[in-house]
Amino acid sequence: MSKPDTTRLHSHLQPAAGDHSEDSYRKRPGEILDRFERGGHADKVDLLTGKITPQGHAVPQGQRAQQAELNRKWLAEERERLQAGKGEPVAYAVADPDVGDALERYLRTQGRFGSANEADLNAKAAAAQEYAAKLANEFHNSEFRVPSSSAEQPGTQNSEHRTFSRPDFLPTSRADMAALGWQQCDFILVTGDAYVDHPSFANAVISRVLEWAGFKVGIISQPDFTDPEAFKTLGNPRLAFLVSAGNLDSNLNAYTAHKLPRSDDPYSPGGKPGKRPVRATIVYCNMIRRAFGKVPIIVGGIEASQRRFSHYDYWDDKVRRSVLLDSNADMLVFGMGETQIVELAHRLNRGIPLREITDVRGTAYVKKDAAFLDAPEFTDRFGKPVYTLDHEALLPPKDSSAFRVPSSESENAVRGTRNSEHAVLDRVQEHQDSDPAAVPDYRKNYAVAFKTIFDQQDPVRGRPLVQRVGKLSVIQLPPARLQSEEELDRWYDLPYTRLPHPDYEREGVPAWLTTQHSIITHRGCMGSCTFCAIWMHQGRTIQSRSPESIVKEAESITGMPSFKGYISDVGGPTANMYGNYCSVQQTLGACKDRDCLLPDPCPALRQHLDKQLDMLKRVRAVPGVKKAFIASGIRHDMLIDDKNSKGLGDAYIENLAAHHTSGHLKVAPEHLSDDVLAKMRKPGLHKYEEFKRRFVEASKKVGKEQYLVAYFVSSHPGCTMDEQIRLAEYFKKNNWSPEQVQDFIPTPMTPATAMFYSGHDPETLEFVYTPTTMREKRRQRALMQFARPEFHGRVRKALREAGRKDLIGHHEGALVKPGNEEDWEDDNPARPAGIGSGPATLKKRNNPYRGRVPRKQSSRRGGRDGGARKQG
């Protein structure tokens, strides 16, 4: 009997799967494993058992009992100190000598460097809490009162609803500032989103965190980006301007996967498009410079975070340099940003110029001279800097002679040149590469550069990164340290009104309508989907809130006038990762050469499904809550792994079916081809089929008829036309007609985007076939929705050109009936200038709409592309 084939999808991602012994992760001589110093945080279990000190240092076996007692006392004291100011609003009272003393004590805890990664983090947090509580005391007792409505609102569950008025929001006008007695704001936040004071909106979180830290924050929301005067609404800030494009990349918010204008903007009042510019970060910063000159500017948010280095821009179809250079900003905060912005705020408040602040984790900046990175005091804290390829190495050579067609293959090999037709165009989307030799060297360099950047995006093992752009250096320090449970609770317990600003009372904000009754339970994702930006923004390590904080938020939701008993979502990037823990990630950082979930969940991963089940039960028990749904999606392969889930996978699925599914559950198998899934880093389709079977059985067991909403991605790197036809046949066989189709959009700083532009997998540098032209992207999309009549002509043409005319006919296995073949016009005048869609590029020279977007066209075909808004 022959030995079975043991080769599995993604088996290379865990070359030593199962080997998670202590020796497997033994530290090298001289390696620092201090969890605070390297960015981690101490685990409560380790503290209570005395395995480590509060600073993260290991404790010998014989001293652990004594250390455990000391740790219990330390935790109790910390809990009391943190509780002193937890959740209190911050006001701005008159000068008080006691307040000054509290501030001085806070500043003294900053240590030698004052960076957010030192061992005195808890003392700093406690001092900041004390300082904020003192500032808040007078205002809270005399003015801040949340009135209750004694009348029952129609259709609501709570007889005493919290009501808010304009003073409960941060000021958006000079009149608001005058009402608060302010002469000047400390910080002014300029954002491309409507102002919604809800923890699901990043700008609300950052502004409330700064308010908690004792600073006056004003909001300029969606200013007229053509008029510098619009940025003078609140005057000149005392410390700095903060700039964010909003919750989404402004290009992604404006255009579909096919680069046509979207017909709406859910983050704008009334959903009206056009309230923010494309590349809002750059536009806002330059308008501020026109209005105020050399005022300090700090940029942040998803758009700036994902564009901190040279990046491929899908909408320009070229590599752009760091947004720091184009925006002329002084500093960039990447990631979630709370610890960095508080640290920067206090440094600025002490009179330290922003240009002199070079040692705060989670920030990036531009310098002419980067020699200070090699100084011993710098390398001792952050490690030696890592240099990625220069920006110029990612661009086509300027020397036109480099583009000539080689006379022979041997000459091509010697000179390293490529086909001149492709090189001169420098437009990836104007030609379809199916041969590795057709990919220029500078595009392959992009994959190499991305891998260098990607490997340092871990808060524990990451080192400073440097990319030279001409005579300047873009410098990124390691990501901000991991957030503890107490810190996450603090940020989400701040006094949000959970409402849009009163200025939008008539129009409303569509994005708020879908998130107003939702709860974020954790951050980070252990998944490694190559098309997703979570890796680069929140990281792979799960950081969870406490059940008490989540229940507290559920109770506050029941007090909203619009609440009718249904919490729309209790989750995060992946709902069932709440409470997950990996000791390796906490001490050494996320593994560089191992995947947490592929080919199977890593043995070092601890799934705390029992903790999440208990948390969900407590949320359901909150008075006034009828249902608490999980709408943020789950990672199905984790739940069918019986070993790693401690046997609770089926119990979780049954609980999901009984209490937390609204009839449809979101799951993302993405594709059926192992080759495509390997490039996506997603589990095989057989795991989806197994989860589907268990979910259907669980639904029947609880007496419900429920369905899975499966998400699939078209035109992802690695997906050939043959693979897409196989997927269409699978849909036909299973009688599916998927509505949730996502066209792959190459957003900046994701592995899949690196594949799209470079034509190579950044992990292996192997060639990857990628649908890059609009013609092929549309055909792959049409094949996924072959049942829709408007796509039949395109499907017929795609099948014929692929040699699959057998799928055209009246027989049972046919995808479409015989008929006309057609392709939509490739050059749509509503598409932005400079964007290629096929080989017929000469038409653009006479395009009357080049450089502008006709208003009539924008509403005609600005659809949502199903789920194409998914970041990454």
Side-chain angles (χ1 to χ4, degrees), residues 233-283:
T233 304
L234 300 179
N236 195 346
R238 183 174 68 90
L239 297 177
F241 272 102
L242 309 177
V243 175
S244 169
N247 267 22
L248 281 180
D249 186 292
S250 56
N251 282 285
L252 189 65
N253 208 47
Y255 296 108
T256 68
H258 294 163
K259 298 186 176 180
L260 297 176
R262 296 191 188 273
S263 59
D264 65 337
D265 180 353
Y267 290 94
S268 292
K272 297 176 182 177
K275 292 285 187 179
R276 84 186 79 208
V278 173
R279 297 186 182 84
T281 302
I282 296 174
V283 174

Side-chain angles (χ1 to χ4, degrees), residues 767-785:
F767 176 74
V768 179
Y769 175 86
T770 303
T772 55
T773 64
M774 283 295 168
R775 179 178 289 113
E776 177 132 357
K777 286 174 70 70
R778 286 172 174 167
R779 288 181 179 180
Q780 291 208 12
R781 168 70 181 270
L783 281 165
M784 293 184 76
Q785 296 181 303

Side-chain angles (χ1 to χ4, degrees), residues 607-620:
Q607 286 196 68
H608 290 293
L609 294 180
D610 50 347
K611 182 178 179 180
Q612 187 179 9
L613 289 171
D614 177 68
M615 178 269 291
L616 292 171
K617 182 179 179 180
R618 293 174 64 177
V619 170
R620 295 198 305 269

